Amino acid sequence: RPRVFSGIQPTADSFHLGNYLGALREWVVMQEDHETFYCVVDLHAITVAQDPELLRQRTRLSAAQLLAVGIDPDRSTLFVQSHVAEHAQLSWVLECQTGFGEAGRMTQFKDKSARQEAEHVGVGLFTYPALMAADILLYQADQVPVGEDQRQHLELTRNLAQRFNARFGRTFRVPSAHIPKETAKIYDLQDPTSKMSKSIPAGVVELLEDPKRSAKKIRSAVTDTGREIHYDPENKPGVSNLLVIYSALTGRSIADLESAYEGRGYGDLKKELGQVMLEFVTPFQEKVRGYLDDPAELDKILRRGAEHAREIAASTLRTVYDRIGFLPPA
Ligand code: TYM
């Protein structure tokens, strides 16, 4: 079975609809016929300042949300990045293979560093993609399910794998990005030309918020002044985004939704999408509460995941150290 690796940062109080539709939904599906490794990437989280207690809480909460969306710990290896030391170790090696200019071209680095005062931009933000490459390459992953915003990081990962293989002999499998067609980029409800992300709260639908609040955000989503409910991302980005979300959550095609809403207004679409959201998050939130009520069980799942992950990671790292010319410990 082909290998899959992906990760998510524990940097918010809740995952949002972009995380779910762009990535997590695929994670769940891929469990069926792939060998899947899913990781809460706390090392990545500290590339920007984090409160220690909050980080710990959000790491547990992230694991609980992954289980609640349907990650099955009997089929997937679910673990926390800092529990497997090899991630940081391989990251160092890959940093030494990464060009300064190459890392500087990463648009996510440019965006994130532009938003912060220069003296608060840590070196970790810059080397972030080498750590991400280490995550993926340690497990010899074939496929990496992510949203569109991670495409460039995946490209760098492939380049690093190929460069290392060319220089030191075949060591890493070269992974491919697995990016969903329809939901690769979910847009912000208040600014439907930029991606939904934690930075603009009013436009972000959180999976753990009160569904009444989500319904309200959807009702006040920015749409154009026209009346027709048509999928037209160019001229009607707001309505198109709502249609994509609606379609993904219900399995109804966009064409089907367009004909169902013919002659009806945006208000109807928004109201009914709020209801769809409510039906989706209610059982999800209940499951999250269940996992949080039993932290011992949650920790056990994560411990088991880390043990399995460590075996594979250690074997890859041993090969890498050997290829590089490190003297084996006696
Ligand atoms: P993160 O934590 O920002 O996001 C987790 C996943 O959600 C996707 N995503 C979206 N998809 C569609 N529309 C959106 N608006 C949207 N917002 C987020 C992201 O593409 C991602 O798949 N660097 C990664 C974490 C990471 C990783 C890895 C991923 C670390 N190591 C190894 C894959 C493999 C990140 O910050 O994702």
Side-chain angles (χ1 to χ4, degrees), residues 2-163:
R3 281 258 176 91
V4 163
F5 182 94
S6 200
I8 187 160
Q9 296 198 60
T11 44
D13 291 323
S14 170
F15 294 159
H16 58 67
L17 213 42
N19 298 135
Y20 178 66
L21 296 178
L24 306 183
R25 208 162 60 117
E26 293 298 314
W27 294 19
V28 174
V29 173
M30 290 179 106
Q31 296 179 117
E32 301 293 334
D33 45 10
H34 295 75
E35 192 187 348
T36 43
F37 291 80
Y38 297 131
C39 186
V40 179
V41 293
D42 52 353
L43 299 177
H44 279 103
I46 65 162
T47 53
V48 298
Q50 301 293 338
D51 172 78
E53 194 44 48
L54 205 52
L55 178 59
R56 221 176 334 264
Q57 273 175 30
R58 287 170 167 177
T59 301
R60 276 220 182 81
L61 188 57
S62 297
Q65 290 179 88
L66 291 177
L67 292 164
V69 292
I71 301 303
D72 173 357
D74 291 327
R75 286 192 294 174
S76 288
T77 301
L78 175 65
F79 68 105
V80 173
Q81 191 183 29
S82 64
H83 292 178
V84 181
E86 284 79 0
H87 289 251
Q89 293 174 295
L90 180 59
S91 177
W92 172 251
V93 173
L94 294 177
E95 277 169 43
C96 297
Q97 314 297 320
T98 308
F100 199 85
E102 187 172 44
R105 279 193 295 277
M106 295 292 113
T107 55
Q108 204 150 71
F109 167 71
K110 289 195 274 187
D111 291 350
K112 283 191 184 173
S113 55
R115 269 190 262 125
Q116 287 170 59
E117 307 272 346
E119 63 265 36
H120 293 140
V121 178
V123 174
L125 207 55
F126 186 64
T127 58
Y128 178 116
L131 176 59
M132 178 161 162
D135 297 340
I136 297 165
L137 299 181
L138 271 178
Y139 299 94
Q140 307 287 358
D142 300 282
Q143 300 270 326
V144 183
V146 285
E148 178 62 39
D149 61 340
Q150 298 300 318
R151 188 188 290 278
Q152 197 188 23
H153 289 157
L154 255 295
E155 215 35 64
L156 178 68
T157 302
R158 290 166 58 83
N159 289 339
L160 289 174
Q162 281 159 345
R163 188 174 307 158

Side-chain angles (χ1 to χ4, degrees), residues 92-327:
W92 172 251
V93 173
L94 294 177
E95 277 169 43
C96 297
Q97 314 297 320
T98 308
F100 199 85
E102 187 172 44
R105 279 193 295 277
M106 295 292 113
T107 55
Q108 204 150 71
F109 167 71
K110 289 195 274 187
D111 291 350
K112 283 191 184 173
S113 55
R115 269 190 262 125
Q116 287 170 59
E117 307 272 346
E119 63 265 36
H120 293 140
V121 178
V123 174
L125 207 55
F126 186 64
T127 58
Y128 178 116
L131 176 59
M132 178 161 162
D135 297 340
I136 297 165
L137 299 181
L138 271 178
Y139 299 94
Q140 307 287 358
D142 300 282
Q143 300 270 326
V144 183
V146 285
E148 178 62 39
D149 61 340
Q150 298 300 318
R151 188 188 290 278
Q152 197 188 23
H153 289 157
L154 255 295
E155 215 35 64
L156 178 68
T157 302
R158 290 166 58 83
N159 289 339
L160 289 174
Q162 281 159 345
R163 188 174 307 158
F164 192 98
N165 288 348
R167 177 138 188 237
F168 298 104
R170 176 133 182 56
T171 308
F172 295 124
R173 204 170 291 173
V174 180
S176 314
H178 173 96
I179 299 175
K181 268 200 192 63
E182 288 79 17
T183 54
K185 188 168 178 183
I186 300 297
Y187 293 88
D188 188 276
L189 298 187
Q190 285 300 312
D191 174 10
T193 56
S194 56
K195 75 164 180 187
M196 185 178 284
S197 77
K198 12 210 175 215
S199 28
I200 331 177
V204 177
V205 178
E206 296 186 339
L207 303 186
L208 287 175
E209 73 190 356
D210 182 343
K212 284 200 215 79
R213 202 176 143 82
S214 302
K216 198 167 153 212
K217 288 179 184 172
I218 293 168
R219 270 203 313 278
S220 20
V222 169
T223 40
D224 57 277
T225 51
R227 306 216 55 223
E228 243 138 277
I229 296 178
H230 259 318
Y231 180 75
D232 178 358
E234 191 95 335
N235 301 307
K236 290 173 160 292
V239 175
S240 301
N241 190 40
L242 296 179
L243 282 170
V244 166
I245 294 170
Y246 200 138
S247 163
L249 288 177
T250 57
R252 291 172 67 182
S253 73
I254 289 187
D256 177 30
L257 291 172
E258 283 173 336
S259 51
Y261 280 98
E262 211 177 318
R264 299 168 67 198
Y266 296 161
D268 286 350
L269 175 74
K270 289 173 168 178
K271 191 162 153 255
E272 284 161 33
L273 180 54
Q275 185 61 29
V276 165
M277 196 59 205
L278 172 95
E279 280 157 31
F280 171 68
V281 298
T282 304
F284 166 79
Q285 294 184 354
E286 228 160 84
K287 285 184 206 151
V288 170
R289 272 193 296 274
Y291 287 110
L292 292 178
D293 283 345
D294 192 354
E297 175 62 20
L298 193 62
D299 288 349
K300 202 171 100 194
I301 290 171
L302 295 175
R303 191 179 335 118
R304 193 153 55 94
E307 276 164 18
H308 183 232
R310 215 175 283 131
E311 280 171 34
I312 294 159
S315 144
T316 303
L317 189 74
R318 260 196 307 277
T319 310
V320 169
Y321 272 17
D322 179 61
R323 295 276 155 89
I324 288 215
F326 290 166
L327 183 68

